[in-house]
Amino acid sequence: LGAHLDHLGTRAPVNNDSIYNGADDDGSGIVSLMAVAKAFASGQKPKRSVLFVWHSGEEEGLFGSRYMADYPTMPIDRMVAMINVDMVGRNRCDDPAQANTVYVVGSERISTELHNLNEAANASLSRPLRLDYEYNDVADPESIYTRSDHYSYAFKGVPVVFFTTGLHRDYHYVTDEVDRIEFAKMARIAELI
């Protein structure tokens, strides 16, 4: 399971603020994976080993995930899947109608089994999320499939699933602040993961 630590750092000030905190991109993914790790640590142990990776260099070209895929801490052919969590703390375009939606990318591109497992896991939740596959379209003009850390693993043949809640006006902007995070939604996505 992975998320990325980096954001854009500092840039020219906007309203006297030059720090691009990246609360959603990707503070939301980092915190979600910490919640998942805590659940694994305190709950029933999984039958397989689970590796948590917080990549760096995603914003600059997937550097951390490419390095991990090229020089993994375990044989890459033993990785059965890679779950990537990036920007899961908001609603797409801040639209309240998106409150129950999570976008799923890549889950069936290498393995239909992973796709089916994700669908079943979601259906088993007391309040299932609406899984939207719009960004999974190979013709997606945003090319979301190739833009985040999961792609480094998919390139090596590892089945991937990428969770995101979509883009919004604060994407890669100084206003991506924690006061805009939808924590209850983020918790539900972590529960699915």
Side-chain angles (χ1 to χ4, degrees), residues 20-33:
Y20 286 61
N21 293 306
D24 193 26
D25 186 14
D26 188 31
S28 63
I30 293 164
V31 170
S32 295
L33 282 194

Side-chain angles (χ1 to χ4, degrees), residues 1 15 34 43 53 57 60 70 88 131-133 155 157 160 171 179:
L1 297 101
N15 297 327
M34 290 172 67
V53 180
E60 299 299 324
D70 287 343
V88 293
L131 304 180
D132 190 308
Y133 296 94
F155 186 76
V160 299
Y171 174 66
D179 62 335

Side-chain angles (χ1 to χ4, degrees), residues 2-17:
H4 72 88
L5 292 168
D6 66 310
H7 192 49
L8 300 175
T10 58
R11 300 282 197 266
V14 176
N15 297 327
N16 295 318
D17 187 356

Side-chain angles (χ1 to χ4, degrees), residues 115-134:
H115 174 80
N116 295 339
L117 284 169
N118 188 55
E119 288 279 336
N122 187 55
S124 75
L125 297 175
S126 60
R127 290 178 50 217
L129 291 154
R130 182 173 138 331
L131 304 180
D132 190 308
Y133 296 94
E134 175 186 344

Side-chain angles (χ1 to χ4, degrees), residues 47-76:
K47 293 178 182 178
R48 300 186 158 272
S49 297
V50 178
L51 178 65
F52 289 85
V53 180
W54 285 269
H55 302 102
S56 62
E58 190 264 5
E59 299 291 1
E60 299 299 324
L62 311 181
F63 293 135
S65 61
R66 284 183 187 176
Y67 186 88
M68 183 64 173
D70 287 343
Y71 305 100
T73 57
M74 60 175 286
I76 200 153

Side-chain angles (χ1 to χ4, degrees), residues 75-93:
I76 200 153
D77 61 349
R78 296 204 47 219
M79 290 184 194
V80 297
M82 192 284 177
I83 298 171
N84 186 32
V85 189
D86 189 351
M87 293 182 62
V88 293
R90 302 268 298 262
N91 294 323
R92 181 179 180 183
C93 300

